[in-house]
Amino acid sequence: MSRQTVIILDFGGQYNQLIARRVRECGVYCELLPWTTPLEQIKAKEPICIIFTGGPNSVYAPDAPRVDPAIFTWGVPILGICYGCQLMAHSLGGRVVPATSAAAREYGKTETVFDTGCRLFRNLPEESVTWMSHGDYLEKVPEGFRLTAHTTACPTAAIADESRGFYGVQFHPEVNHTQFGKEMLHRFLYEVCGARGDWSMGDFCRLTVAALREEIGGGKVLLALSGGVDSSVLAALLAEAVGSQLTCVFVDHGLMRKNEGDEVQAAFAKWDVNFIRVNAEERFLTALAGVTEPERKRKIIGEEFIRVFEAEGKKIGSVDFLAQGTIYPDVIESGAGAAAVIKSHHNVGGLPDFVDFKEIIEPLRLLFKDEVRQLGRELGLPEYLVTRQPFPGPGLALRVIGEITKEKLDIVREADFIFRDEAARAGLAGSMSQYFAALTNMRSVGVMGDGRTYDYAVALRAVSTEDFMTADWVRLPYDLLDRVSVRIVNEVKGVNRVLYDITSKPPATVEYE
Ligand code: XMP
């Protein structure tokens, strides 16, 4: 039996990849195709159904995206979301008009009442919250359809012609704010379209490996491996696909966390790839000696990094492909102004100018972070790598306030290790977006045994955040903080005080420098 396919027809909505991700979460393979794809091409894929996405247009605009009307007589079920719902209604004789009152334009969380006799909503509560984002409004329902949901402002929040398997929802079931959105998509796929759930991340892995082999052929691939989740999973994927044609350059700048360099190297030992670990600690520390200004530190690290990578690139000579661990949120962010903050950071994304290559490959660009982690597991990467929290390119340099020395780095490395160890023992590691120890530039008086000490204060930081643009500090249990504090002052030489940072972002940032 061949694998079932869902076609998502893309009308330019902002959540389209999220629809694809939800379908994958339901265990069904899907492809996102532009709305201009000829019907014959869609038919050739033998989909079990089509999903029309949202989009920024109005269906009554002269140049609005359309579909071949034959799509409605072909006999496959269709789910239209937002613009997709309006387009289906418009194409089948309904009427879509601009919402005349501000109240009828709905944006955001909206109480919605459902007809639970409809297959999409069966066994779900009669009332729940949906996420709306529309300025047009379906005034007349096409023949054969009935209303299956309404809100106070909008009598046509959902429509259905169940005999043909046509469903339209004005709201967005794919976003988390729609309380039972995932269940509705699941019902559409399984109860309306007969999905079997025959797709998994293992499948994605096999398909991607096969596609990469074909694309790369006998070519050489270069990858700057940072040890972060994305670049590690990408390295594993390429290692699986092309083995020794891949060269990973891992620059250990001496600003890594405890054991990190060895862990990254060990994770790739099972593959036959060219793994180049550049131990550049001395070079970085020499360049950073005496520098206290945060931006200057970042610049030096960025420049040194590029130089080291460039030197390695020269040794390798020309390569055919430069692989990058871009993931879907990066793709979205690069289009949005807000992303500028992250992009100005130093990471390996800025390398292509310095390396002689023919093409860039980005096999993870359609995946969300947790899907990348899942893929990593599929490839057999160790759990500590796959679940690793974000770690900035300039590493511990951002967590040592003021001048960086080997001694200070060792202190922060040990303290950070203890914090991570205790958080893991408490079962709380996964509940924080990012957490670490930083070394303040402050020394203070303490007493240990019978003697006076004059040592550093270590700050602990733990934040929770959706997007790292804003963040809140985590209310960690006092007894965990106590254990971490006791262990740090006992086990880490040079520290006599532990502080917990209770500042959110803004006004503070996540990192210290
Ligand atoms: P801030 O300190 O800006 O951190 O609130 C937000 C997120 O970005 C990470 N970060 C960086 N990541 N290169 C990176 O790759 C950098 O230069 C950099 N600076 C901060 C930080 O760890 C947090 O996740």
Side-chain angles (χ1 to χ4, degrees):
M1 216 183 299
S2 66
R3 192 192 51 213
Q4 294 180 318
T5 298
V6 169
I7 293 298
I8 302 172
L9 219 47
D10 184 353
F11 291 97
Q14 53 177 324
Y15 305 124
N16 295 353
Q17 270 301 335
L18 198 52
I19 302 175
R21 181 226 174 108
R22 295 284 176 246
V23 172
R24 298 196 292 256
E25 274 175 6
C26 287
V28 184
Y29 174 74
C30 66
E31 287 183 32
L32 192 71
L33 297 179
W35 63 271
T36 47
T37 310
L39 184 56
E40 287 316 308
Q41 225 166 298
I42 299 174
K43 282 187 173 174
K45 299 198 175 270
E46 300 180 21
I48 57 167
C49 64
I50 316 266
I51 298 178
F52 293 174
T53 74
N57 300 74
S58 291
V59 288
Y60 46 78
D63 54 352
R66 300 255 179 266
V67 280
D68 184 336
I71 203 166
F72 297 109
T73 50
W74 165 26
V76 292
I78 298 175
L79 171 65
I81 297 175
C82 199
Y83 179 83
C85 169
Q86 294 168 3
L87 178 67
M88 176 157 64
H90 179 81
S91 311
L92 294 172
R95 190 163 52 243
V96 178
V97 294
T100 44
S101 69
R105 286 188 287 273
E106 296 174 296
Y107 294 101
K109 291 183 181 174
T110 312
E111 270 301 335
T112 310
V113 180
F114 296 93
D115 170 357
T116 52
C118 172
R119 276 200 280 182
L120 231 49
F121 312 130
R122 197 168 287 165
N123 299 326
L124 295 178
E126 270 177 25
E127 277 192 59
S128 62
V129 170
T130 64
W131 180 259
M132 293 279 187
S133 177
H134 65 103
D136 289 340
Y137 149 74
L138 178 57
E139 192 184 53
K140 180 173 158 271
V141 169
E143 207 163 309
F145 281 76
R146 66 191 174 91
L147 294 175
T148 54
H150 66 271
T151 68
T152 318
C154 178
T156 50
I159 55 172
D161 176 349
E162 302 214 65
S163 62
R164 286 189 281 177
F166 292 167
Y167 296 82
V169 291
Q170 192 53 73
F171 55 88
H172 288 271
E174 69 278 20
V175 306
N176 272 332
H177 304 301
T178 295
Q179 242 177 332
F180 296 98
K182 286 179 204 164
E183 287 80 353
M184 293 169 194
L185 287 171
H186 195 276
R187 280 170 175 65
F188 175 68
L189 295 169
Y190 282 77
E191 287 167 36
V192 176
C193 312
R196 292 190 298 265
D198 59 3
W199 185 85
S200 64
M201 190 48 88
D203 258 314
F204 176 85
C205 187
R206 278 186 292 281
L207 284 172
T208 312
V209 164
L212 282 169
R213 279 189 190 141
E214 187 159 340
E215 184 180 0
I216 294 166
K220 277 207 266 180
V221 189
L222 180 64
L223 166 70
L225 181 65
S226 70
V229 178
D230 304 340
S231 72
S232 298
V233 172
L234 177 59
L237 187 66
L238 286 163
E240 195 66 35
V242 296
S244 60
Q245 288 161 249
L246 170 68
T247 301
C248 296
V249 176
F250 172 51
V251 178
D252 187 345
H253 47 24
L255 307 165
M256 301 270 172
R257 287 165 291 194
K258 186 169 174 177
N259 301 336
E260 197 162 24
D262 294 342
E263 283 173 2
V264 172
Q265 189 164 7
F268 290 92
K270 69 172 179 176
W271 281 288
D272 174 29
V273 296
N274 304 302
F275 190 99
I276 301 177
R277 176 172 174 176
V278 190
N279 290 316
E281 180 183 38
E282 225 182 286
R283 175 176 181 149
F284 277 81
L285 292 192
T286 307
L288 287 166
V291 181
T292 55
E293 210 273 311
E295 276 306 303
R296 183 90 202 99
K297 282 196 215 172
R298 281 173 176 272
K299 278 224 167 61
I300 290 173
I301 295 166
E303 278 163 22
E304 287 302 309
F305 194 91
I306 300 277
R307 258 182 241 141
V308 172
F309 192 81
E310 193 185 10
E312 290 307 314
K314 279 203 182 112
K315 280 188 221 158
I316 297 162
S318 71
V319 294
D320 302 283
F321 300 92
L322 187 89
Q324 290 202 308
T326 318
I327 68 168
Y328 192 65
D330 305 334
V331 177
I332 309 176
E333 279 178 0
S334 59
V341 181
I342 302 277
K343 298 299 165 192
S344 67
H345 289 164
H346 149 69
N347 53 34
V348 293
L351 292 172
D353 291 356
F354 301 86
V355 182
D356 188 14
F357 67 98
K358 292 192 199 119
E359 255 180 82
I360 289 187
I361 43 175
E362 298 177 309
L364 308 180
R365 61 180 292 120
L366 296 181
L367 299 185
F368 287 84
K369 193 82 177 185
D370 54 323
E371 292 182 309
V372 174
R373 293 189 206 279
Q374 223 181 314
L375 178 60
R377 288 187 188 103
E378 208 52 61
L379 288 158
L381 282 178
E383 200 58 26
Y384 62 77
L385 255 190
V386 167
T387 52
R388 186 159 270 182
Q389 53 169 318
F391 186 63
L396 298 179
L398 306 184
R399 300 176 184 172
V400 170
I401 300 177
E403 186 186 2
I404 294 170
T405 61
K406 174 95 167 84
E407 180 211 357
K408 288 183 178 175
L409 285 169
D410 284 341
I411 291 177
V412 79
R413 236 188 304 264
E414 282 305 318
D416 183 70
F417 180 75
I418 291 170
F419 188 17
R420 286 189 287 139
D421 186 43
E422 287 298 332
R425 282 169 202 260
L428 289 172
S431 65
M432 297 173 269
S433 305
Q434 206 170 357
Y435 62 104
F436 53 84
L439 187 63
T440 72
N441 204 16
M442 180 191 83
R443 288 201 287 169
S444 65
V445 175
V447 52
M448 259 190 204
D450 289 328
R452 175 187 190 272
T453 57
Y454 187 62
D455 283 334
Y456 283 111
V458 158
L460 304 177
R461 180 113 171 102
V463 295
S464 65
T465 170
E466 288 269 321
D467 56 10
F468 292 93
M469 298 292 169
T470 62
D472 198 8
W473 60 278
V474 178
R475 275 60 173 171
L476 283 178
Y478 285 165
D479 47 344
L480 170 62
L481 289 170
D482 182 48
R483 277 195 301 278
V484 177
S485 165
V486 168
R487 274 191 65 188
I488 288 177
V489 289
N490 279 312
E491 295 175 33
V492 187
K493 205 168 160 293
V495 179
N496 66 357
R497 211 174 274 269
V498 175
L499 314 170
Y500 188 46
D501 185 341
I502 54 167
T503 340
S504 59
K505 172 185 177 176
T509 53
V510 175
E511 304 290 348
Y512 281 73
E513 295 243 302

